[in-house]
Amino acid sequence: MKHFPAEQLNKFAEALLVATGSSSREAAIVADHLVQSNLAGHDSHGIGMLPTYVSSIEKGALVPNAEMQPVRDHGAMMVFDGRRGYGQRLAREAMAVAIERCRENGLVFMGLRNAHHMGRIGSYGEQAIAAGMVSLHFVNVVDHRPLVAPYRGTAARYSTNPICFAMPATTGNAPILLDMATSKVALGKMRVAMNKGEEVAAETLYDGCGRPTTDPSVMFVEPYGAITSLGQHKGYGIAFFCELLAGVLTGGGTIQPENPRMGGIINHMATIIIDPQRLVDCQWMEQEITALVKYVKSTPAEDSELPVLVAGEPETLMRSKRGCSGIPVDDTTCEQLLASARQVGIERLMAEDLLYYRSIP
Ligand code: NAD
């Protein structure tokens, strides 16, 4: 395990993305998104995703520099098609349009379909927060085999379908940002655990024969296993609604098997944005949220070392920690990154130089 300053990983990711054909602008946006995910503590959606993107490009499942296309536009309701472009860039651009529309209308539904992996959905919630807006995001994941077993099932039938709810920050509080997979764990966390040689908690996984296991490699080698749903029937119900809202209402399609699969990671996202100023007095809203956060956090902690937090706080804390001590990346992931660099024509020595310069053992 080595530790890397964020700027170093950024440079490496940008160089690799440019080598795969991205414009320097696209490479900068995607690299920044990935490294910000690492800084927030979500290594599952950080630079470790780059080898997957390289293989998606090879399959034609990810198209660098693709521009989104408006499909429907009714003022406060709109749908864009991402045409298999980088989700991190397209979702950012679609959110910028939707936020502007929300300033005019107070409420917006924005659908973005057919974008390749949008990464950490929380970053779009942060975009809304920065504009003083509230946002709700529902995402489904298609184009590859399903990963998550429905409640009472032992084989996968849908994916890790993330949701995100974002509320503007109040004075003295971190932004309130709930951003999570609706499976018990995100797939990327299984990849990180496998690369580190770690087992996962009981009741998280089924193996390819439908038996409970703690071995994360069942998600990556045939016969493939399945992740369990979050909170039994409740998480399963929310994940199912991600299929309905993101899969059906954007026109992108659900994970049902009659839809074609190219082996990439395609996200469809249904986003609702609300301008709170149209509804309530902002000063009152701030005071009310501050009082709520204070009240909830005043509950006695079960373990004094683990205080009660509000969604979004763990990421804020991790950002300041990793901003100082660097981003840890395990050796397997480093090797995978170097192999991908070679695949796209970057010489091993140059890639090592790009990656390891200023790394801390
Ligand atoms: P997680 O389980 O680490 O955290 C989920 C949420 O819980 C966060 O909002 C966090 O602030 C909050 N949280 C964590 N600890 C808390 C505590 N003690 N008290 C209060 N709140 C707490 O997240 P995850 O489910 O592993 O998802 C990781 C990332 O994966 C997310 O950013 C998600 O968007 C992303 N994801 C993306 C896709 C995709 O296809 N693009 C699919 C699945 C997941």
Side-chain angles (χ1 to χ4, degrees), residues 42 44-45 117-122 139-141 160-163 177-187 189 265 267 307-315:
H42 293 292
S44 54
H45 289 68
H117 198 225
M118 293 178 190
R120 181 178 161 257
I121 306 305
V139 179
N140 74 335
V141 195
T160 50
N161 295 2
I163 54 169
L177 187 80
L178 178 66
D179 167 32
M180 57 181 221
T182 50
S183 50
K184 197 156 187 184
V185 286
L187 178 73
K189 289 197 169 145
I265 310 170
N267 282 151
V308 170
L309 303 173
V310 170
E313 266 189 293
E315 287 76 13

Side-chain angles (χ1 to χ4, degrees), residues 231-283:
Q232 301 177 330
H233 56 291
K234 299 178 185 180
Y236 163 47
I238 296 171
F240 199 85
F241 258 85
C242 287
E243 291 294 335
L244 300 178
L245 298 174
V248 178
L249 288 190
T250 68
T254 68
I255 195 149
Q256 61 94 355
E258 284 169 27
N259 287 325
R261 292 177 185 161
M262 279 182 70
I265 310 170
I266 291 293
N267 282 151
H268 308 307
M269 176 165 78
T271 293
I272 296 162
I273 306 180
I274 304 162
D275 182 353
Q277 293 185 53
R278 304 281 189 116
L279 300 171
V280 290
D281 175 76
C282 281
Q283 208 179 346

